[in-house]
Every structure is written in structure tokens, then in C-alpha cells.
Amino acid sequence: AAPEEGVEAMVRGKGKVVLMTGGYDHTIRFWEVHSGMCSKTIQYPDSHINLLRVSPDKKWLAVCGNPHTRLFKTDLSAFGHTHSFEGHVGNVVGLTFDQSPDTQSLWTCGEDQTVKMWDLRSQPCTKDLKCRHPVNAVALHPKQPLLLSGDSGGSVRLWDLRMGRCMRELLPQGDSAIRWLSFAPNGRLVAAVNTLGNCFVW
């Protein structure tokens, strides 16, 4: 197999599961999981690929690179990407979509120590949250205007999106970088994983 880095799975059609991979070889591949065959390859010459994400409504595939994020239709009905989000400096390494029935916005984070919100309808950056370290992961609360960020300094921050400010900061294990975090589906719990492989739940 090629040395892919980002991976995302999605369901397309009745009983058909498609896996999408991308990495430093500048390609996005669509795999039929049941057969193991690569059904489609898209060249991505502008950047290596740090992360792939599929929107909750399964309509969009987001590709995080350096220093941009591009959006493709998952059914590949359009030639090339349909949206391009420019504004980060350096690698974009984390992304989450909003949880609305029709996806309208996404959040990205990266090496430039910022978390940015993008409007899919008009494409400008509408919010810009500044942190003290490169940000590796972001997650949205399923029901409230709250966002989690995890950074290379080991901090987990809870942001009030209406006020645009950090409400609380946790440092679970010193300066061990946070690599992944998530809200529980009901929004009552938070989980985070750091570079030491430890998982913390609050």
C-alpha cells in the first residue's frame, strides 16, 4: 500500500462502503472496502495531504494541506475542488464540520496557532481564535456553541463561540501534545488523547 497519512470512511449507496486515503504522495484514493480495489484516484499537486474529513451529511470531502483546505463533492460530480479556504500559515492539521443537517460551516486549525471558522456559502473566515501553541485538533459540541481545541503545548481549551473567548483550559499531562479530542454524542463528556498514548475523559 502507498504511504498514506489521512484516512476517512464513508457509506455510499446501499451496502457499499468506500474508504478514502491521502498522504504525502499527492493523491486521494477511493477504495471499495469489500473488494479492496482502488476505484478512483485524484491527483492533488498543490500540497501533501495532512487530513481528510467527510461532512456529516456525506456531501463534502475536506482536504487539509499546506497552507490551505480544499472541499470536494463526495460524488465527484464536479471537476476538481469547489471551495478553497486560504488563511492559515503553514500546515492545516485539524478540521471539524458543523452538525447541522445541511453542512454550512467548518473549523480548521494548524501550525500557526489559530482556529478558524469558514462559511461554506461565502467562503470567508468568519472567526479566528488565537492560541499559544500549534493546534492539532478541534471538536464542536453537538448542541451548544462550544468548541474544543487541543494543542502542542498540552492544553485542552473550551471556547465559547458566541463570545469568542476561552472559558476553561485543562493541562492533563504537562506539555505532552494533544493529538485528538471529541465530545460525546450527547455533549456531556469530553475525551482527549496525547502523544504519550494516554486518554483523558472529563
Side-chain angles (χ1 to χ4, degrees):
E4 280 89 17
E5 291 279 332
V7 178
E8 180 68 44
M10 63 171 284
V11 177
R12 295 179 61 195
K14 186 176 181 181
K16 185 177 181 182
V17 180
V18 174
L19 181 74
M20 287 167 285
T21 61
Y24 279 68
D25 60 354
H26 296 269
T27 61
I28 303 168
R29 290 184 171 89
F30 291 70
W31 303 85
E32 294 180 0
V33 172
H34 297 300
S35 67
M37 300 294 293
C38 179
S39 59
K40 180 76 173 179
T41 300
I42 299 174
Q43 297 301 317
Y44 197 80
D46 296 338
S47 168
H48 58 264
I49 298 167
N50 294 317
L51 183 73
L52 301 178
R53 281 287 183 269
V54 173
S55 62
D57 60 12
K58 307 298 184 187
K59 293 179 181 178
W60 302 104
L61 169 66
V63 182
C64 297
N66 183 351
H68 53 257
T69 299
R70 301 263 165 84
L71 217 57
F72 293 80
K73 288 188 174 182
T74 54
D75 62 5
L76 304 180
S77 59
F79 180 77
H81 64 271
T82 61
H83 300 65
S84 183
F85 303 100
E86 313 272 349
H88 281 285
V89 178
N91 282 292
V92 184
V93 298
L95 180 145
T96 188
F97 286 94
D98 69 40
Q99 301 298 310
S100 62
D102 293 316
T103 303
Q104 298 180 0
S105 65
L106 58 82
W107 294 79
T108 57
C109 64
E111 293 177 333
D112 60 1
Q113 305 182 14
T114 66
V115 178
K116 300 181 187 296
M117 178 186 177
W118 309 89
D119 189 324
L120 270 60
R121 295 159 295 186
S122 56
Q123 300 184 47
C125 176
T126 57
K127 289 186 186 295
D128 194 349
L129 309 176
K130 301 188 185 304
C131 303
R132 295 191 298 271
H133 301 279
V135 187
N136 299 320
V138 286
L140 283 171
H141 192 282
K143 299 177 181 178
Q144 300 180 35
L146 301 172
L147 178 136
L148 288 172
S149 66
D151 64 41
S152 295
S155 293
V156 175
R157 289 185 174 89
L158 179 65
W159 298 85
D160 181 331
L161 298 181
R162 287 176 179 162
M163 301 296 293
R165 64 180 179 85
C166 178
M167 298 171 56
R168 188 174 182 185
E169 182 176 357
L170 301 170
L171 200 66
Q173 197 169 9
D175 59 359
S176 297
I178 302 298
R179 290 297 175 190
W180 174 89
L181 43 72
S182 180
F183 283 101
N186 61 10
R188 295 180 180 178
L189 295 174
V190 170
V193 177
N194 66 13
T195 51
L196 298 179
N198 295 322
C199 180
F200 304 89
V201 179
W202 298 274

